[in-house]
Amino acid sequence: MNDHVYKHIQLTGSSKSGIEDAVQNAISKASSTVKHMRWFQVVDTRGHIENGRIAHWQVTIEVGFTLED
Amino acid sequence: MNDHVYKHIQLTGSSKSGIEDAVQNAISKASSTVKHMRWFQVVDTRGHIENGRIAHWQVTIEVGFTLED
Amino acid sequence: MNDHVYKHIQLTGSSKSGIEDAVQNAISKASSTVKHMRWFQVVDTRGHIENGRIAHWQVTIEVGFTLED
Amino acid sequence: MNDHVYKHIQLTGSSKSGIEDAVQNAISKASSTVKHMRWFQVVDTRGHIENGRIAHWQVTIEVGFTLED
Amino acid sequence: MNDHVYKHIQLTGSSKSGIEDAVQNAISKASSTVKHMRWFQVVDTRGHIENGRIAHWQVTIEVGFTLED
Amino acid sequence: MNDHVYKHIQLTGSSKSGIEDAVQNAISKASSTVKHMRWFQVVDTRGHIENGRIAHWQVTIEVGFTLED
Amino acid sequence: MNDHVYKHIQLTGSSKSGIEDAVQNAISKASSTVKHMRWFQVVDTRGHIENGRIAHWQVTIEVGFTLED
Amino acid sequence: MNDHVYKHIQLTGSSKSGIEDAVQNAISKASSTVKHMRWFQVVDTRGHIENGRIAHWQVTIEVGFTLED
Amino acid sequence: MNDHVYKHIQLTGSSKSGIEDAVQNAISKASSTVKHMRWFQVVDTRGHIENGRIAHWQVTIEVGFTLED
Amino acid sequence: MNDHVYKHIQLTGSSKSGIEDAVQNAISKASSTVKHMRWFQVVDTRGHIENGRIAHWQVTIEVGFTLED
Amino acid sequence: MNDHVYKHIQLTGSSKSGIEDAVQNAISKASSTVKHMRWFQVVDTRGHIENGRIAHWQVTIEVGFTLED
Amino acid sequence: MNDHVYKHIQLTGSSKSGIEDAVQNAISKASSTVKHMRWFQVVDTRGHIENGRIAHWQVTIEVGFTLED
């Protein structure tokens, strides 16, 4: 966090098990095309319900990555 | 999410184990009287502290359910 | 929550395992100097990424404690 | 708006044609069970996209109705 | 505030005398049909003006009540 | 949007037909006394309901106009 | 609240006795030059402290008045 | 909305006729380079005024599209 | 409000009679240990309900005090 | 800040050199017609870009002035 | 700002000298890959402290650029 | 930003010259009693006006410092 320039993107990941896993899934999917991701911030936490049970979680994050030379 | 009309309600559930369980407890309790719940959004995450330990979590969610004919 | 006066403080705790653990770590650290903590509210959930994996979570909470006589 | 007590509910209506129609659809559906609705406020405007075209609009409103004696 | 599940509703009460009275009026009116109300939070404070004088106050509150077995 | 100084005002216009018309009505009414209006931003969209139908829309806008020499 | 166009202004009034009185003071002062004020909304409530006592309250309101022909 | 990962982008479209058309214009323009757009949310509604008339609308939307394998 | 440096703290006070008294109670309690308090801002107004009556008010304020040499 | 009544207005000033200068330009322009301005608050900081350089800053402020007798 | 479609991106730039320079650094870095940038809005202003001195500023901006044919 | 626990405080500093200097003044004043300050975030930017000129700037920051063992 010194003299870098960061670009931010927003991603939504999902998971049947919980919030932490949904965030990791979003980051894993994006990491194949986005390099140098450094931090994230959770901006929305939602989910779908089926028959009175949480079917899956959907967590939206903002991710910062450095613009390298 | 096509031509349905949704009504939203707010619920607060609690749990000793964590956030995901508190959300499920709120949905389970409400499901005895509210049918057709489809999604939720977390709007507040709180908890109580006893002797320097988290005693229980309290999570407030907004829930959408369809108004059926 | 009757006739007490509460003071609020903000803390950020971190954890490699998840949100709940990061909150507990913040409370545990503060409890050595702050007594009578009663409740908390999550106000920000962030984290650091290393090589496409969540390296650790950072959760900021507001904590209320009673001003005792 | 004198000495009434209002209760607020949140509804989401949808329409293929636009925002105004989605709001009217939500109110029409609710009016079969909720009486004395007096005002609404738009709180969220969303929609679904199919093949680069808006498939339908989804508008969330807060509605106030009077609690009659 | 232990293992209860709370449901939240929003109400607007009015009064010629002031904010506290408008809140009490909303709660009194709702208490004939809603049981187990436990807390409220003020979310909006408005009023009407007639001839340069406050004619009445309108205060909107969110109320939490427990879903009992 | 170069070296002008703008002053902002807030207006609420109404219309039976829809949002765009309510905005135009507010601007038309104000234009008789306010010159050099350049832009607007919608800040609130409300309406009144009569017998389960939208009676009219009320849209609040912020308007910017230049302070001319 | 039918086909009027409203203009909004913001005022801050003060009082030694409390919130309601501070609002009335702001409206009374403005009523000498602003006609047709119809409603207000409280947007900020502050005050000054002297020697551990509230010296006076300062309440900021948004006021709507009709633009008459 | 099951196990997809969504990326969000923000777009501003404009139109002389109204809000719905401005949203469609933004989506149409982006669809030549962005595939798999699924939903949008309106985040800002503005416009320009010329001679007391709305010259055009400018609507900013957040769009979600799936990251396909 | 010239060249001072202010520190802010948050406090919650309670009262059976109303909002103004709850604020004064928070300030009175804190004034035994915090000197040079100058202003406050109300940030949250809540209360508890017992048997359909307001049992007590809980008002959270932010307080600014000068850091003296 | 004792028993005055303040009116608030919003202004946007611009400058090629920076934020502080843009604020001063807005105040200077308004001071020819608005007397007794006492404080301001920055509410928005924007700017225009030309060829990869900041062409000018645009800063929106809220200004409070006293209504004198 | 007529019939263009804008895309928005978020960037964080840093500088040892101040806010304006941090914004310019973010824009300069991005301009090597992003063409037609037209405006920016400051959305967050932060910094790092070392030994009681501001070590560098970190300013996050939203930037709009036109999608050209 | 690894396994530390941070405590946050809010400070307001002032300066006749500008925003950056007001922030540094707040940090310098606090550094005599608060150790290990690491970062800040600007949360409010205000100022006082005298005779149509900015008399001084008042900038409120949130500061994070580590709780050391």
Side-chain angles (χ1 to χ4, degrees):
Chain A
M1 286 206 180
N2 28 38
D3 61 353
H4 289 302
V5 171
Y6 293 85
K7 187 176 175 184
H8 306 220
I9 54 173
Q10 280 211 353
L11 302 169
T12 300
S14 62
S15 163
K16 292 182 179 173
S17 60
I19 296 170
E20 286 86 347
D21 193 49
V23 173
Q24 182 59 65
N25 287 349
I27 294 170
S28 296
K29 180 78 177 186
S31 67
S32 63
T33 55
V34 182
K35 301 301 176 194
H36 310 298
M37 291 186 288
R38 301 301 169 86
W39 54 263
F40 66 90
Q41 180 183 20
V42 175
V43 293
D44 200 13
T45 304
R46 293 172 176 261
H48 283 211
I49 304 168
E50 292 177 5
N51 299 316
R53 306 296 301 172
I54 301 171
H56 60 263
W57 291 80
Q58 281 189 309
V59 183
T60 300
I61 56 173
E62 184 165 318
V63 175
F65 59 94
T66 49
L67 295 178
E68 302 290 333
D69 296 310
Chain B
M1 286 207 180
N2 29 37
D3 60 352
H4 290 304
V5 171
Y6 294 84
K7 186 176 176 185
H8 306 221
I9 54 173
Q10 280 211 356
L11 303 169
T12 300
S14 62
S15 163
K16 291 182 179 173
S17 61
I19 296 170
E20 284 87 348
D21 193 48
V23 173
Q24 181 59 65
N25 287 348
I27 293 170
S28 296
K29 180 78 177 187
S31 66
S32 64
T33 54
V34 182
K35 302 301 177 193
H36 310 299
M37 292 187 288
R38 301 300 169 87
W39 54 262
F40 66 89
Q41 180 182 20
V42 174
V43 293
D44 200 13
T45 304
R46 295 172 176 262
H48 282 212
I49 304 168
E50 291 177 7
N51 300 315
R53 305 296 300 171
I54 300 170
H56 60 264
W57 292 79
Q58 282 189 308
V59 184
T60 300
I61 56 173
E62 185 164 316
V63 176
F65 60 94
T66 48
L67 294 179
E68 303 291 332
D69 295 310
Chain C
M1 285 206 180
N2 28 39
D3 60 351
H4 290 303
V5 172
Y6 293 84
K7 187 177 175 185
H8 306 219
I9 55 174
Q10 280 211 354
L11 302 169
T12 300
S14 62
S15 163
K16 291 182 179 173
S17 60
I19 296 171
E20 285 86 347
D21 193 49
V23 173
Q24 182 60 63
N25 287 347
I27 293 170
S28 296
K29 181 78 178 188
S31 66
S32 63
T33 54
V34 181
K35 301 302 176 194
H36 310 298
M37 291 187 287
R38 300 302 169 86
W39 54 263
F40 66 90
Q41 179 183 20
V42 174
V43 293
D44 199 13
T45 303
R46 294 170 177 263
H48 283 211
I49 304 168
E50 292 178 6
N51 300 317
R53 304 296 302 170
I54 300 171
H56 59 266
W57 291 80
Q58 283 189 308
V59 184
T60 300
I61 55 174
E62 185 164 316
V63 175
F65 60 94
T66 48
L67 295 179
E68 302 291 334
D69 295 310
Chain D
M1 285 205 179
N2 29 37
D3 60 353
H4 289 303
V5 171
Y6 294 84
K7 186 176 175 184
H8 306 220
I9 55 173
Q10 281 211 355
L11 302 169
T12 300
S14 62
S15 164
K16 290 182 180 173
S17 61
I19 297 171
E20 285 86 347
D21 193 49
V23 173
Q24 181 60 65
N25 287 347
I27 293 170
S28 296
K29 179 79 176 186
S31 67
S32 64
T33 54
V34 181
K35 302 301 177 195
H36 310 298
M37 291 187 287
R38 302 299 170 88
W39 54 262
F40 65 90
Q41 180 182 21
V42 174
V43 293
D44 200 13
T45 303
R46 294 172 176 261
H48 283 213
I49 304 168
E50 291 178 7
N51 300 316
R53 304 297 301 170
I54 301 170
H56 59 264
W57 291 80
Q58 282 189 309
V59 183
T60 300
I61 55 173
E62 184 164 318
V63 176
F65 59 95
T66 48
L67 295 178
E68 303 291 332
D69 295 311
Chain E
M1 285 207 180
N2 29 38
D3 60 353
H4 290 303
V5 172
Y6 293 85
K7 186 176 176 185
H8 306 220
I9 54 174
Q10 280 211 355
L11 302 169
T12 300
S14 63
S15 163
K16 291 182 179 173
S17 61
I19 297 171
E20 285 86 348
D21 193 49
V23 173
Q24 182 60 63
N25 287 348
I27 294 171
S28 296
K29 180 79 177 187
S31 67
S32 63
T33 55
V34 182
K35 302 301 176 193
H36 310 299
M37 291 187 287
R38 301 301 169 86
W39 54 263
F40 66 91
Q41 181 183 19
V42 175
V43 293
D44 199 12
T45 303
R46 294 172 177 261
H48 283 212
I49 304 169
E50 293 178 5
N51 300 317
R53 305 296 301 171
I54 301 170
H56 59 264
W57 291 79
Q58 283 190 308
V59 184
T60 300
I61 56 174
E62 185 163 317
V63 175
F65 59 94
T66 49
L67 295 178
E68 302 291 333
D69 295 310
Chain F
M1 284 206 181
N2 28 39
D3 60 353
H4 290 302
V5 171
Y6 294 84
K7 186 176 175 185
H8 307 219
I9 54 174
Q10 280 212 354
L11 302 169
T12 300
S14 62
S15 163
K16 291 183 179 173
S17 61
I19 296 171
E20 285 86 347
D21 192 49
V23 173
Q24 182 59 64
N25 287 348
I27 293 171
S28 296
K29 179 79 177 186
S31 66
S32 63
T33 54
V34 181
K35 302 300 176 193
H36 309 299
M37 292 188 287
R38 302 300 170 86
W39 54 262
F40 66 89
Q41 181 182 21
V42 175
V43 294
D44 200 12
T45 303
R46 295 171 175 262
H48 282 213
I49 304 168
E50 292 178 7
N51 299 315
R53 304 297 300 170
I54 301 171
H56 60 264
W57 291 80
Q58 283 189 309
V59 183
T60 300
I61 56 174
E62 185 164 317
V63 175
F65 59 94
T66 48
L67 295 179
E68 302 291 332
D69 295 310
Chain G
M1 285 205 179
N2 28 38
D3 60 352
H4 290 303
V5 172
Y6 294 85
K7 186 176 176 184
H8 306 220
I9 55 173
Q10 280 212 356
L11 303 169
T12 300
S14 63
S15 162
K16 291 183 178 173
S17 60
I19 296 170
E20 284 87 347
D21 193 50
V23 173
Q24 181 60 63
N25 287 348
I27 293 170
S28 297
K29 180 78 177 189
S31 67
S32 64
T33 54
V34 182
K35 301 302 176 192
H36 309 298
M37 292 187 287
R38 301 300 169 85
W39 54 263
F40 66 89
Q41 179 182 21
V42 175
V43 294
D44 200 13
T45 303
R46 294 171 176 263
H48 282 213
I49 304 168
E50 291 178 6
N51 300 316
R53 305 296 300 171
I54 300 170
H56 59 265
W57 292 79
Q58 283 190 309
V59 184
T60 300
I61 55 174
E62 184 164 317
V63 175
F65 60 94
T66 49
L67 294 179
E68 302 291 333
D69 294 310
Chain H
M1 285 205 180
N2 29 39
D3 60 352
H4 290 303
V5 172
Y6 293 85
K7 187 176 176 185
H8 306 219
I9 54 174
Q10 280 211 355
L11 302 169
T12 300
S14 62
S15 164
K16 291 182 180 175
S17 61
I19 297 171
E20 284 87 347
D21 192 50
V23 173
Q24 181 60 63
N25 287 347
I27 293 170
S28 296
K29 179 80 177 186
S31 66
S32 63
T33 54
V34 182
K35 302 300 177 194
H36 309 299
M37 292 187 288
R38 302 299 169 88
W39 54 262
F40 66 90
Q41 179 183 22
V42 175
V43 294
D44 200 13
T45 303
R46 294 170 177 262
H48 282 212
I49 304 168
E50 292 178 5
N51 300 316
R53 304 297 301 171
I54 301 171
H56 60 265
W57 292 79
Q58 282 190 309
V59 183
T60 300
I61 56 173
E62 184 163 318
V63 175
F65 60 95
T66 49
L67 295 178
E68 303 291 332
D69 294 311
Chain I
M1 284 206 180
N2 29 39
D3 61 352
H4 289 303
V5 172
Y6 293 84
K7 186 176 176 185
H8 306 220
I9 55 174
Q10 279 210 356
L11 302 169
T12 299
S14 61
S15 164
K16 292 182 178 172
S17 60
I19 296 172
E20 285 87 346
D21 193 50
V23 173
Q24 182 59 64
N25 287 348
I27 293 170
S28 296
K29 180 78 176 188
S31 67
S32 63
T33 53
V34 181
K35 302 301 177 193
H36 309 299
M37 292 187 287
R38 302 300 169 87
W39 53 263
F40 66 90
Q41 180 183 21
V42 175
V43 294
D44 200 13
T45 303
R46 293 171 176 263
H48 282 212
I49 303 168
E50 291 178 7
N51 299 317
R53 305 296 300 170
I54 300 171
H56 60 264
W57 292 80
Q58 282 189 308
V59 184
T60 300
I61 55 174
E62 185 163 318
V63 176
F65 59 94
T66 48
L67 294 178
E68 303 290 334
D69 294 310
Chain J
M1 287 206 179
N2 28 40
D3 60 353
H4 290 303
V5 172
Y6 294 85
K7 187 176 176 185
H8 306 219
I9 54 174
Q10 280 211 356
L11 303 169
T12 300
S14 62
S15 163
K16 291 182 179 173
S17 60
I19 297 171
E20 284 87 347
D21 192 49
V23 173
Q24 182 59 64
N25 287 348
I27 293 170
S28 296
K29 180 79 177 186
S31 66
S32 63
T33 54
V34 182
K35 303 300 176 193
H36 310 299
M37 293 187 288
R38 301 299 170 87
W39 54 262
F40 66 91
Q41 180 183 20
V42 175
V43 294
D44 199 13
T45 303
R46 294 171 175 262
H48 283 212
I49 304 168
E50 292 178 6
N51 300 315
R53 305 297 300 172
I54 301 171
H56 59 264
W57 292 79
Q58 283 189 309
V59 183
T60 300
I61 55 173
E62 185 164 317
V63 176
F65 60 94
T66 48
L67 295 178
E68 302 293 331
D69 295 311
Chain K
M1 285 205 179
N2 28 40
D3 60 352
H4 289 303
V5 171
Y6 294 84
K7 187 176 176 185
H8 306 219
I9 55 174
Q10 280 211 356
L11 302 169
T12 300
S14 61
S15 163
K16 291 182 179 174
S17 60
I19 296 171
E20 284 87 347
D21 192 50
V23 173
Q24 182 60 64
N25 287 348
I27 293 170
S28 297
K29 180 78 177 187
S31 66
S32 63
T33 54
V34 182
K35 302 302 177 194
H36 310 298
M37 292 188 287
R38 301 300 169 87
W39 54 263
F40 66 90
Q41 180 182 21
V42 175
V43 293
D44 200 12
T45 304
R46 293 171 176 263
H48 282 212
I49 303 168
E50 290 179 7
N51 300 316
R53 304 297 301 172
I54 301 170
H56 60 264
W57 291 79
Q58 282 190 308
V59 184
T60 300
I61 56 174
E62 185 164 316
V63 175
F65 60 94
T66 48
L67 294 179
E68 303 292 334
D69 295 310
Chain L
M1 286 206 179
N2 28 41
D3 60 353
H4 289 303
V5 172
Y6 293 84
K7 186 176 176 183
H8 306 219
I9 54 174
Q10 280 211 354
L11 302 170
T12 300
S14 62
S15 164
K16 291 181 179 173
S17 60
I19 297 171
E20 285 86 347
D21 193 49
V23 173
Q24 182 59 64
N25 287 348
I27 294 170
S28 297
K29 180 79 176 186
S31 67
S32 63
T33 54
V34 181
K35 302 301 176 194
H36 309 298
M37 291 186 288
R38 302 301 170 87
W39 54 263
F40 66 90
Q41 180 183 19
V42 175
V43 293
D44 199 13
T45 304
R46 294 171 176 261
H48 282 211
I49 303 169
E50 292 178 6
N51 299 316
R53 305 295 302 170
I54 301 171
H56 59 264
W57 291 79
Q58 282 190 308
V59 184
T60 300
I61 56 174
E62 185 164 317
V63 176
F65 59 94
T66 49
L67 294 178
E68 303 290 333
D69 295 311

